[in-house]
Amino acid sequence: MEAAAAPDVLSLFASRLSHRRFGGDELRVLEAALSAGGDVPALLATRLAARRLLRASVAEAFAAPGPVGEDGRMLAVADFFARAFALVGDVESCLAMRYEALVLRDAKYSDDLHFQVSREEWSTFAKDSLDNGFYTIASKAFANALAHLRPSHPGHLDSTNLIEEKDNTNYIAGLQNLAKSLSAQHSVQTQSAEYMKRRASSGHQKCNLQSGKPKLTGVSMFRLGIKTRNMKKLLHSRERNSGEI
């Protein structure tokens, strides 16, 4: 019975999502589904099924039309899915939901003391994104944290507070620069990997040129040459930067 409990409980969770029920009771149902089952493979299968269900459901939840002025409800939905994705171990989706909620609050409730986003929230989210390898979104979040660090009336701060603000600004700016650097390195590595794949593929195609396949046109060869030259320059730049480090 225990082995059959997980799919049954997950089906109950899916049913509640389909009826647009996004609350604490539903999270408890999800927790029960994830803890049901008698062995590790069954638990992993349930976790994977729950991830797929949540990813499909979140798209429907945010795409469904609703009444004008329902920002509060959308915040609650984003918070629900952030917690749900955290339960199933989907870090990327969890961070995406947290980011959606922060952006919505920043846009709609900047003058509301209860809902406005604090610099600590932006900074915490940015650090979480940085630690988990999402460098581009971390850089954006650090930029928002920096915006909140700058006081509207700097003349109202005493010397001690001004020094503290400067230290905080330098610290966040340093983390933002780190995120930008890591994002650029990741982009270069990705492009290099794609180049090596294309190079291997083109090498395989050269072996088959004598089998009656048409030759490349002059325009195609020109474009291929430009792309190859650009990729070689990119790789050379990467090797030079690695040597300097």
Side-chain angles (χ1 to χ4, degrees):
M1 291 295 293
E2 286 188 358
D8 292 342
V9 180
L10 194 58
S11 295
L12 174 61
F13 179 67
S15 175
R16 295 195 176 191
L17 291 182
S18 66
H19 288 86
R20 303 183 63 77
R21 295 175 61 179
F22 311 115
D25 290 341
E26 285 64 47
L27 290 176
R28 284 186 282 274
V29 172
L30 176 59
E31 286 183 294
L34 295 173
S35 61
D39 52 43
V40 173
L43 291 172
L44 293 177
T46 301
R47 184 180 294 269
L48 178 60
R51 286 184 182 182
R52 291 172 176 170
L53 172 62
L54 285 170
R55 289 192 174 191
S57 299
V58 71
E60 296 176 359
F62 282 96
V68 178
E70 62 166 5
D71 296 328
R73 189 191 70 81
M74 297 307 293
L75 278 174
V77 172
D79 180 70
F80 168 82
F81 278 102
R83 294 173 184 273
F85 280 123
L87 287 175
V88 301
D90 190 337
V91 177
E92 181 178 5
S93 297
C94 175
L95 289 173
M97 288 297 97
R98 287 173 60 189
Y99 185 72
E100 287 293 330
L102 290 172
V103 169
L104 180 59
R105 285 170 55 196
D106 221 23
K108 300 293 185 180
Y109 301 103
S110 59
D111 296 327
D112 190 316
L113 294 178
H114 181 68
F115 283 107
Q116 65 181 201
V117 184
S118 67
R119 66 187 184 186
E120 288 80 9
E121 287 180 283
W122 274 123
S123 181
T124 298
F125 173 79
K127 292 174 184 177
D128 288 344
S129 300
L130 182 62
D131 291 341
N132 285 282
F134 300 102
Y135 307 127
T136 301
I137 198 66
S139 177
K140 294 180 180 179
F142 280 129
N144 287 327
L146 285 172
H148 285 72
L149 277 168
R150 299 187 181 97
S152 301
H153 304 286
H156 293 174
L157 298 177
D158 58 32
S159 59
T160 301
N161 287 331
L162 282 173
I163 293 174
E164 182 179 351
E165 287 292 320
K166 183 178 180 180
D167 290 342
N168 287 334
T169 300
N170 291 337
Y171 174 69
I172 297 298
L175 290 177
Q176 184 187 27
N177 290 334
L178 174 62
K180 288 181 178 180
S181 175
L182 292 172
S183 178
Q185 291 179 22
H186 178 74
S187 177
V188 169
Q189 291 171 359
T190 300
Q191 293 180 53
S192 298
E194 292 176 351
Y195 165 70
M196 296 306 294
K197 289 180 181 179
R198 289 197 298 269
R199 184 177 180 182
S201 176
S202 64
H204 177 71
Q205 290 175 358
K206 288 179 181 178
C207 295
N208 297 327
L209 285 178
Q210 303 301 325
S211 62
K213 291 187 177 180
K215 295 182 179 180
L216 293 173
T217 65
V219 174
S220 298
M221 292 180 67
F222 175 77
R223 290 176 177 172
L224 179 60
I226 291 296
K227 290 181 180 179
T228 302
R229 187 186 66 179
N230 289 340
M231 288 309 303
K232 285 182 178 179
K233 290 172 64 178
L234 178 63
L235 288 173
H236 177 71
S237 175
R238 180 191 171 193
E239 292 173 356
R240 184 179 59 189
N241 292 335
S242 299
E244 292 176 354
I245 294 175

